[in-house]
């Protein structure tokens, strides 16, 4: 992929990585939020963190959370790569 002097935002980096691994035609949704303390309790995460999720084809494949929102998206890229590797090992031979 050519680099033309600008860097995509962290959310777009997650989308680009997911499309590169799972295919360009698949629908990728990345969501991020700073949940309320009640939501944090429901998710089982500490309060005051930024929570991000990645859906590929409508299926949740990766989540992560940290206090810094930029770091949360960078960690999500790693989780997407792990999910792709796991999906390769689950693949059935044809």
């Amino acid at each position: 992929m050519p680099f033309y002097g600008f860097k995509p935002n962290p959310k777009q980096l997650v989308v680009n990585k997911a499309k590169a691994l799972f295919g360009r035609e698949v629908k990728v949704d990345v969501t991020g939020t700073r949940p309320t303390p009640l939501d944090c309790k429901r998710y089982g995460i500490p309060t005051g963190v930024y929570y991000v999720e990645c859906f590929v084809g409508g299926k949740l494949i990766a989540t992560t959370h940290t206090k810094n929102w930029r770091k949360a998206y960078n960690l999500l890229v790693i989780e997407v790569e792990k999910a792709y590797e796991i999906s390769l090992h689950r693949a059935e031979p044809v």
Side-chain angles (χ1 to χ4, degrees):
M1 180 161 70
F3 184 72
Y4 294 110
F6 67 92
K7 185 176 177 184
N9 63 38
K11 183 177 180 179
Q12 188 62 42
L13 290 173
V14 176
V15 172
N16 292 347
K17 178 57 81 172
K19 285 189 176 267
L21 294 175
F22 291 98
R24 292 280 175 204
E25 67 281 348
V26 72
K27 185 174 191 292
V28 177
D29 291 325
V30 178
T31 60
T33 185
R34 195 168 295 278
T36 64
L38 185 61
D39 290 335
C40 288
K41 188 174 184 179
R42 185 177 56 192
Y43 292 141
I45 60 175
T47 59
V49 297
Y50 195 79
Y51 181 75
V52 290
E53 302 173 320
C54 181
F55 296 91
V56 173
K59 181 180 174 190
L60 179 67
I61 62 160
T63 64
T64 189
H65 59 82
T66 186
K67 289 189 182 283
N68 185 344
W69 67 272
R70 287 183 187 269
K71 188 174 181 181
Y73 284 112
N74 291 336
L75 291 173
L76 190 61
V77 170
I78 295 169
E79 292 298 320
V80 167
E81 291 172 346
K82 287 180 185 178
Y84 178 72
E85 183 179 351
I86 289 170
S87 73
L88 288 179
H89 292 295
R90 278 192 314 223
E92 297 291 324
V94 177

